[in-house]
């Protein structure tokens, strides 16, 4: 059942407000843009005090501004930065060593009385409505939630509910043991028995983990080493002095795990054993210890988990308590198209392949001049034109890109400014993760036996799914996936949810949203494009540019203003237009059309053989980028539109050609 967004938002807010006086954990999986933030605001008004947890500091600042404009006393916890902290280098050094800067550095800091960071932190502490990042909440949720009547946690709550650290280096643990031993010796000299015992347990924890990283043969749950109780006061300061005295700067994550064991704070310890294939097919074992905390949720507050891709079952596993799904019924109609092109762009896809595909996609989006791209980190330099190997996206296309982020950055998933800065968004690639990340997810939610299953049994391999095109025709798409259900669910929670959240930056259900194109073979519920995009190589792009320039050279007078052009002009020639592959020359029936260009003309212009030109033209014709005018009439540019449904009603022959062109290119990803 499709619903009007205004009615949906009214119900969403009413449910939130009614929940304020009923403590519990609730789930909202409404689509991005449905109005979850406004519903939070209405509930905050009633509650009087609240805590909002968001993915990034940028999200926190945006939310603080929104709440303050609505008249609420709201403040976000600050981000540690050189501008905020006058002793920034030393503070960062302590944090990188796994210590709290406020405990290790601030007490003796000569700038503490004039510190902007401390002032802003205190402001957030005193505010009626606190706003914090997931990472800060994971380190001290109890203190942040204290006295809060309403709590809203946005995006995937796994890292907050079950914070997890991966330690895989024996060398790092040896450094931790040295630091703890140094601190223990100093405590002995000062006859500080509590600290001495605690640092001794910390050293023993490091030694225990070293032994497991050396001897473990399979993934399994570990017994928890004995702790010494709550961390002594000034323990971080004493550890920091030990670090400075030895000149040894340990890995922060290894320090945090050993401190947590000594303090008895961990929920579970698991050793993970992975098999990796090296040169010549040689299999090597990699071991890591995963430390999992469990964040207790207050039982006297109304807590909302707001994640469009979550499930009740997984949230219950993470939270360890009942969760009620209070998402309003029905779905919201998309006011802007969200279209999927089933191509598999991976992290390891070469820049040549990636840029050829992106070139074709952007050519099929010729009417959009402010494009945002969410992609693999590995492809950003080529898109920006800064790749060292020289394989870069065309400059004419780069001018149309106004915003770029990579997968799993937080900004690609949680930021709300994409649809205001862009007029279209491309989600470019599938953000797959290695098996060790799947195991970590399974361990985090308590499925240790599933994590320990042999990768031959979990069976990563070929799969397929069926989806509808924009014109309503059903198509099969081939993809990759896990046969094991638990592994498949964990994979979907990481990979497919990242794609859905990235696509959600377009706010397709909102009137002020923008269209989105998704380049991936994953099933995420989007409609498939009727026109399968065939990559345009750099050489093929030169052919398209040649046709454009040859036509421009033929023009002897300025063009009049025309609404059919990509941008109206009043003076100047065709060559002044910047939109690639879309210049029109001749007026026919009130529309601008291109003058046909022969194969020989193109070959002469580019100084290559007609045979090479003809090969590229045939490939471009199969992708819909050029048209042949008769057998000897030459070639003209043709524009495909990813967002336009195919007109299958024209003829049975047209249907057959359209279907064949799509099916031929959908191949198994590798």
């Amino acid at each position: 059942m499709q619903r009007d967004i205004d009615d949906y938002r009214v119900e969403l807010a009413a449910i939130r407000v009614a929940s304020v006086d009923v403590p519990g954990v609730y789930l909202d999986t409404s689509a991005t843009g449905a109005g979850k933030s406004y519903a939070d605001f209405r509930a905050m008004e009633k509650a009087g005090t609240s805590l909002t947890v968001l993915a990034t500091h940028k999200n926190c600042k945006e939310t603080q501004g929104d709440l303050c404009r609505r008249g609420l006393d709201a403040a976000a916890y600050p981000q540690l930065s050189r501008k905020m902290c006058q002793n920034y280098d030393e503070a960062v050094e302590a944090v990188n060593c796994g210590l709290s800067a406020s405990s290790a550095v601030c007490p003796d800091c000569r700038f503490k009385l004039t510190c902007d960071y401390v002032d802003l932190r205190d402001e957030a502490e005193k505010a009626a409505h606190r706003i914090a990042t997931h990472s800060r909440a994971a380190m001290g949720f109890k203190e942040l939630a204290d006295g809060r009547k309403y709590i809203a946690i946005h995006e995937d709550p796994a890292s907050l509910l079950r914070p997890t650290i991966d330690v895989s280096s024996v060398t790092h643990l040896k450094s931790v043991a040295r630091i703890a031993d140094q601190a223990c010796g100093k405590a002995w000299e000062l006859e500080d028995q509590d600290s001495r015992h605690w640092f001794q347990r910390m050293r023993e924890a490091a030694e225990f983990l070293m032994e497991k990283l050396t001897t473990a043969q399979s993934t399994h749950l570990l017994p928890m080493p004995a702790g010494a109780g709550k961390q002594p006061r000034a323990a971080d300061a004493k550890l920091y002095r030990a670090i400075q005295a030895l000149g040894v700067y340990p890995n922060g994550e290894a320090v945090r795990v050993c401190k947590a064991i000594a303090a008895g704070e961990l929920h579970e310890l698991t050793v993970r054993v992975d098999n990796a294939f090296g040169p010549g097919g040689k299999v090597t074992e990699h071991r890591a210890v995963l430390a999992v905390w469990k964040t207790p949720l207050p039982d006297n507050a109304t807590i909302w988990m707001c994640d469009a891709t979550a499930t009740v079952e997984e949230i219950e596993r993470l939270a360890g308590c009942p969760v009620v799904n209070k998402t309003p019924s029905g779905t919201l109609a998309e006011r802007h198209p969200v279209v999927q092109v089933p191509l598999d762009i991976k992290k390891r896809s070469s820049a040549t392949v990636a840029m050829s595909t992106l070139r074709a996609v952007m050519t099929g989006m010729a009417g959009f001049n402010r494009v945002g791209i969410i992609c693999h980190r590995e492809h950003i330099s080529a898109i920006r034109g800064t790749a060292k190997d020289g394989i870069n996206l065309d400059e004419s296309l780069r001018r149309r890109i106004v915003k770029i982020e990579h997968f799993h950055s937080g900004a690609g998933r949680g930021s709300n400014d994409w649809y205001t800065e862009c007029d279209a968004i491309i989600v470019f690639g599938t953000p797959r993760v290695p098996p060790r990340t799947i195991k970590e997810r399974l361990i985090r939610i308590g499925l240790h036996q599933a994590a320990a299953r042999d990768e031959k049994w979990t069976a990563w391999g070929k799969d397929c799914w069926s989806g509808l095109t924009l014109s309503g025709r059903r198509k099969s798409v081939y993809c990759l996936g896990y046969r094991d259900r638990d592994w498949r669910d964990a994979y979907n929670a990481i990979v497919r949810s990242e794609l859905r959240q990235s696509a959600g930056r377009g706010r397709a259900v909102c009137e002020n949203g923008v269209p989105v194109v998704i380049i991936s073979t994953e099933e995420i519920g989007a409609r498939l494009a009727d026109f399968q995009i065939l990559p345009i190589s750099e050489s093929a792009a030169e052919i398209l540019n040649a046709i454009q320039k040859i036509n421009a050279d033929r023009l002897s007078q300025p063009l009049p203003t025309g609404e059919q052009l990509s941008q109206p002009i009043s003076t100047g020639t065709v060559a002044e237009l910047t939109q690639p592959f879309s210049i029109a020359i001749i007026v026919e029936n009130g529309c601008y059309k291109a003058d046909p260009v022969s194969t020989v003309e193109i070959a002469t212009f580019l100084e290559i053989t007609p045979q090479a030109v003809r090969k590229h033209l045939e490939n471009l014709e199969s992708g819909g980028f050029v048209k042949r005018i008769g057998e000897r009439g030459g070639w003209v540019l043709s524009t495909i539109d990813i967002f336009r449904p195919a007109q299958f009603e024209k003829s049975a022959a047209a249907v057959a050609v359209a279907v064949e062109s799509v099916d031929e290119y959908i191949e198994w990803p590798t």
Side-chain angles (χ1 to χ4, degrees), residues 163-202:
T164 304
I165 287 181
D166 181 320
V167 178
S168 58
S169 171
V170 171
T171 302
H172 290 164
L173 290 168
K174 285 181 179 179
S175 297
V176 176
R178 285 188 63 192
I179 299 300
D181 195 50
Q182 172 76 8
C184 182
K186 192 66 176 177
W188 181 275
E189 292 176 12
L190 298 174
E191 298 184 356
D192 183 355
Q193 297 302 320
D194 290 339
S195 294
R196 182 183 67 82
H197 179 59
W198 197 87
F199 290 130
Q200 183 178 345
R201 291 297 191 196
M202 184 178 169

Side-chain angles (χ1 to χ4, degrees), residues 88-99 240 243-244 249:
Y88 177 75
D89 291 334
E90 196 168 342
V92 169
E93 184 179 81
V95 170
N96 290 340
C97 291
L99 308 176
Y240 191 53
I243 288 169
Q244 292 177 316
Y249 295 87

Side-chain angles (χ1 to χ4, degrees), residues 507-527:
R507 295 292 196 272
V509 300
C510 301
E511 185 175 351
N512 58 350
V514 298
V516 178
V517 178
I518 305 157
I519 312 300
S520 175
T521 55
E522 293 292 330
E523 182 181 11
I524 59 172
R527 285 294 185 104

Side-chain angles (χ1 to χ4, degrees), residues 489-501:
D489 289 346
Y491 174 86
N492 291 343
I494 300 170
V495 177
R496 293 188 181 179
S497 65
E498 181 73 15
L499 284 169
R500 291 192 183 101
Q501 290 285 4

